Amino acid sequence: GAGGAPLTLLPEGSSWKYLADGSDEGMAWRAPGYNDASWDSGPGQLGYGDNDEDTDVGFVETGGDKNATTYFRTTFNVADASAITGLTLNLTYDDGAAIYLNGVEVGKTSNMASDMAFDAYTVGGDDSPGDDAQEAFTISSAQLVTGSNTLAVEIKQGDGSSSDISFDLEVIGQTAGSGSDPGDFTLTANAAGQSDSVSMVSLGVTP
């Protein structure tokens, strides 16, 4: 059925915490309760090497290779999760990305696998996405909660000599149809001198 108007839950250019020090954060960094107080922060677009970033996240080199993974985290609030029927994640990325909502993987680019090691580059070294590549993920709202929601994203390089990364993310919620309950009413049609009526009984509006 028809839904209500799309609701921007997280706009592009939002502020993100980020970590680009080459450390192994395991899987804990994806979770809402993870302590990211020591991470740097800045608005999207985030990355380095393209000269179009609002926040330059930098990198570290080990043996001449840049860190494979850069971590990003942010939160957004939802007044009533039950009113959101689905989500669209509009991702800007380079070279690969995996997205976690409240600790659960909800999307990844085709050059990523689940639960990759911190020092692994994209699958097969795939760096084919162009600068500021775009991908939209349409996902269930099952992981959404009322109140604070945590998004965690890992961006991976295609290889240690790659010159740049890019990241930003927009989250759009699809809302259920809304409207006031008209109550019971009678619909009457008149045509060519004939009249017909039908009584409509309200079933109420789904909350």
Side-chain angles (χ1 to χ4, degrees):
L7 178 65
T8 301
L9 300 175
L10 184 75
E12 285 187 329
S14 292
S15 180
W16 290 78
K17 291 290 194 77
Y18 63 90
L19 186 67
D21 65 356
S23 60
D24 182 0
E25 297 302 304
M27 298 182 187
W29 69 278
R30 308 170 184 175
Y34 178 85
N35 183 2
D36 59 13
S38 64
W39 291 22
D40 292 323
S41 65
Q45 188 182 131
L46 304 101
Y48 61 80
D50 292 326
N51 298 316
D52 64 351
E53 303 88 3
D54 289 284
T55 301
D56 189 323
V57 302
F59 56 87
V60 295
E61 286 187 311
T62 303
D65 289 336
K66 296 182 180 71
N67 51 291
T69 304
T70 305
Y71 304 97
F72 299 89
R73 287 171 52 88
T74 197
T75 60
F76 63 93
N77 288 303
V78 174
D80 180 5
S82 67
I84 307 297
T85 58
L87 296 171
T88 300
L89 311 178
N90 294 316
L91 172 70
T92 300
Y93 73 102
D94 182 15
D95 288 312
I99 306 168
Y100 309 90
L101 176 58
N102 294 323
V104 177
E105 181 188 289
V106 293
K108 62 180 181 291
T109 55
S110 61
N111 56 2
M112 296 283 285
S114 296
D115 300 332
M116 296 179 74
F118 81 102
D119 55 355
Y121 295 95
T122 56
V123 175
D126 181 7
D127 61 356
S128 57
D131 297 343
D132 302 342
Q134 306 279 326
E135 187 163 346
F137 299 87
T138 300
I139 65 169
S140 163
S141 59
Q143 301 302 325
L144 208 62
V145 298
T146 296
S148 180
N149 290 263
T150 298
L151 272 170
V153 180
E154 58 183 314
I155 294 289
K156 282 190 175 291
Q157 282 281 26
D159 57 63
S161 62
S162 182
S163 61
D164 55 0
I165 65 169
S166 301
F167 170 64
D168 204 351
L169 186 66
E170 177 185 47
V171 181
I172 306 294
Q174 183 62 49
T175 60
S178 60
S180 59
D181 183 358
D184 300 345
F185 64 95
T186 299
L187 180 65
T188 301
N190 295 285
Q194 301 294 315
S195 178
D196 195 16
S197 297
V198 60
S199 294
M200 309 296 288
V201 178
S202 171
L203 298 178
V205 174
T206 301

